[in-house]
Amino acid sequence: MRPEIAVLDIQGQYRVYTECYRADAAAKTIILVNGSMATTASFGQTVKSLYPQFNVVLYDQPYAGRSKTHNRHEQMLTKEVEGQILLELIDHFAAEHVLSFSWGGAAALVALAHRPRRVEKAVISSFSPVINAPMRDYLERGVDYLGNLDRDRVGHLVNSTLGKHLPSLFKRFNHKHVSSLAEHEYGQMHFHISHVLNSDRSCYLKAARQIDIPVLFLNGEWDEYTSAQDAKLFGQLVANSSFSTIQATGHFLDMEHKAACRDSRNAVVGFLTAQRRVNRSRYQGGQTQQAFAL
């Protein structure tokens, strides 16, 4: 299972590393949106669950992963900009579905608010519209550690909170990755968290009201940071919303154990393959991109 790899030029401003897993029998394409501090590597298990039933597209934000060497990092990216990048990728890969994880949900909601004409359904996983007490504590400690470039504490913070239910091997990989990020990546995360803590999160809450396609909100039963109960508040914002809770799992869902992987796949695939009518009055796509094969 080898992906097609390319670096795409987005409106002459950013270059984005992409992986596309194409399957001969797949009728639909799904694009996956990373959470903060994550890269395409974070979706290894998810790709195995969705391929070959779907063509699967992964990408790294301009400041992260295999995209970062292709960009200058002269300014911080807002969630609105990340949403525009996602729109460009949706158009380039002709994706019918979007699946986001954790803070990738903010960029996904911003993009979906533009009603991209190709997109039929979306799954927003491990995300909620509120900053509850556990999440606020995590973010406040995170912004402190990131601001001080305290790499070891950042790694331990992620594993002791959002990642508390991960297997020990995954925790070791997680700590190694998070504690070795570039200084500009810490700066980007510090910028994003500070914005979340000091704003009303209106960019994606307002966006949610504009979404007209079916959206599944998927959360773990044990996730106290983006809880299933809090996620249900999206029902007041997204007109065509549904909700699923993965039992006996936390924030990282399909990465935590085999049963969670199976249940996550069943929830996502069941939702995406269910037959529903789709409104096709949508965003027509952005400017042309150029692909540079690697």
Side-chain angles (χ1 to χ4, degrees):
M1 185 174 70
R2 291 180 176 272
E4 299 171 9
I5 295 175
V7 176
L8 303 181
D9 184 87
I10 306 295
Q11 298 184 355
Q13 293 182 289
Y14 306 104
R15 299 187 74 194
V16 175
Y17 169 86
T18 65
E19 297 179 358
C20 181
Y21 295 82
R22 295 194 186 277
D24 292 339
K28 305 284 185 180
T29 296
I30 184 168
I31 187 165
L32 311 186
V33 187
N34 290 324
S36 63
M37 295 188 284
T39 68
T40 54
S42 302
F43 276 129
Q45 185 60 58
T46 311
V47 172
K48 292 178 183 178
S49 294
L50 297 175
Y51 182 91
Q53 186 159 356
F54 300 95
N55 300 314
V56 183
V57 176
L58 314 179
Y59 71 100
D60 285 330
Q61 294 291 354
Y63 52 80
R66 297 186 184 181
S67 291
K68 61 185 176 184
T69 59
H70 302 285
N71 295 278
R72 296 184 177 181
H73 316 297
E74 295 175 336
Q75 59 185 5
M76 302 300 176
L77 271 67
T78 65
K79 287 304 173 186
E80 290 86 349
V81 170
E82 291 186 9
Q84 288 298 320
I85 290 171
L86 177 56
L87 285 171
E88 295 284 347
L89 297 176
I90 288 170
D91 189 60
H92 179 85
F93 289 102
E96 290 89 0
H97 303 310
V98 172
L99 185 155
S100 68
F101 172 70
S102 194
W103 285 105
L109 292 175
V110 169
L112 295 172
H114 289 268
R115 300 182 178 181
R117 64 181 179 85
R118 300 178 188 277
V119 177
E120 300 172 2
K121 294 182 181 180
V123 179
I124 308 294
S125 68
S126 298
F127 193 60
S128 86
V130 301
I131 303 298
N132 61 19
M135 178 59 84
R136 180 167 294 278
D137 175 69
Y138 164 75
L139 294 176
E140 288 176 346
R141 285 193 284 160
V143 80
D144 178 29
Y145 301 159
L146 288 165
N148 289 302
L149 294 179
D150 194 333
R151 299 177 179 280
D152 187 59
R153 280 191 171 183
V154 173
H156 283 300
L157 175 65
V158 174
N159 279 341
S160 64
T161 54
L162 303 182
K164 66 170 65 175
H165 300 293
L166 284 171
S168 58
L169 179 62
F170 279 53
K171 285 185 177 181
R172 288 198 294 272
F173 286 142
N174 214 26
H175 185 277
K176 181 178 180 180
H177 167 70
V178 172
S179 63
S180 62
L181 295 175
E183 187 171 335
H184 77 264
E185 292 177 89
Y186 274 36
Q188 175 67 46
M189 294 307 104
H190 186 277
F191 169 80
H192 174 53
I193 293 175
S194 297
H195 185 267
V196 169
L197 287 172
N198 296 301
S199 75
D200 60 2
R201 301 173 300 286
S202 61
C203 71
Y204 59 83
L205 297 183
K206 182 179 179 181
R209 297 185 184 277
Q210 305 303 314
I211 298 171
D212 65 343
I213 60 169
V215 179
L216 172 66
F217 294 93
L218 186 67
N219 299 79
E221 178 189 19
W222 293 343
D223 184 2
E224 62 194 282
Y225 300 91
T226 56
S227 74
Q229 190 62 37
D230 287 344
K232 289 179 180 178
L233 295 173
F234 271 123
Q236 302 171 19
L237 303 172
V238 180
N240 200 345
S241 56
S242 57
F243 303 86
S244 183
T245 300
I246 306 303
Q247 300 300 306
T249 190
H251 188 78
F252 282 89
L253 299 176
D254 60 1
M255 296 174 66
E256 295 188 359
H257 53 80
K258 289 183 178 180
C261 181
R262 177 201 64 213
D263 293 346
S264 296
R265 181 191 184 281
N266 290 343
V268 171
V269 173
F271 170 74
L272 295 179
T273 57
Q275 296 298 312
R276 290 195 184 185
R277 293 182 62 185
V278 177
N279 182 350
R280 283 287 183 180
S281 177
R282 308 248 202 271
Y283 168 85
Q284 295 298 315
Q287 299 181 22
T288 303
Q289 307 148 10
Q290 297 177 335
F292 299 84
L294 294 184

